[in-house]
């Protein structure tokens, strides 16, 4: 993680997944017009909010708390960085197709909805960087 990103991550942390979604929604509203040429209408909006919600929820639920958050648009991509206090990387649990369990669906969903995804260790845990393609 770059030193510049590390500084951005510790400023203005959302206090909940809903607050993180609100931040991303406001960012999208400020820089994109729903339904305008170059966007896939509300589908990419929902994808961006789902990825945000899942990553931030997992930071609170499994990661020992949110320690960093950054969201910005670069070109036609939403760049998200979510840091937490756990050094444990997310795990993609394979489940038999005939068994339905509670949990285990978010990380595979994030993998499907993102253009790229990386997890890096930090001094205080880990940082997940996700890119959501907006067109």
């Amino acid at each position: 993680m770059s030193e510049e990103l590390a500084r951005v991550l510790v400023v203005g942390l959302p206090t909940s997944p809903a607050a993180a979604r609100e931040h991303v929604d406001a960012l999208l509203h400020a820089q994109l017009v729903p339904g305008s040429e170059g966007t896939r209408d509300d589908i990419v909006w929902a994808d961006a909010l789902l990825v945000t919600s899942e990553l931030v929820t997992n930071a609170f639920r499994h990661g020992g708390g949110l320690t960093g958050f950054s969201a910005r648009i670069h070109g036609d991509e939403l760049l998200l960085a979510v840091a937490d206090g756990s050094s444990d990387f997310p795990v993609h649990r394979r489940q038999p197709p005939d068994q339905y369990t509670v949990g285990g669906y978010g990380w595979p969903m994030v993998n499907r909805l993102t253009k790229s995804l990386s997890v890096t260790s930090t001094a205080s845990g880990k940082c997940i960087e996700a890119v959501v393609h907006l067109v």
Side-chain angles (χ1 to χ4, degrees):
M1 177 169 49
S2 73
E3 192 63 35
E4 178 184 332
L5 181 57
R7 283 195 304 271
V8 171
L9 285 175
V10 296
V11 177
L13 291 178
T15 57
S16 68
R21 284 191 307 273
E22 288 172 8
H23 176 77
V24 170
D25 188 55
L27 177 66
L28 294 171
H29 273 289
Q31 296 194 20
L32 301 174
V33 177
S36 67
E37 188 174 329
T39 65
R40 287 189 310 164
D41 300 320
D42 295 331
I43 295 170
V44 295
W45 214 284
D47 290 351
L49 296 178
L50 278 169
V51 169
T52 301
S53 187
E54 185 63 28
L55 293 178
V56 173
T57 295
N58 283 349
F60 281 109
R61 185 173 290 163
H62 306 292
L66 187 67
T67 60
F69 178 82
S70 174
R72 64 186 177 95
I73 294 176
H74 183 264
D76 61 358
E77 297 174 334
L78 171 67
L79 311 175
L80 287 171
V82 177
D84 65 39
S86 173
S87 60
D88 295 336
F89 280 36
V91 176
H92 186 144
R93 292 186 292 166
R94 297 260 180 222
Q95 299 174 355
D98 60 340
Q99 292 183 2
Y100 300 100
T101 60
V102 174
Y105 300 100
W107 186 243
M109 178 189 69
V110 168
N111 277 265
R112 290 181 59 100
L113 295 178
T114 55
K115 178 181 176 185
S116 66
L117 192 59
S118 66
V119 184
T120 55
S121 293
T122 66
S124 60
K126 69 178 165 299
C127 181
I128 300 175
E129 296 178 274
V131 177
V132 179
H133 199 59
L134 298 173
V135 295

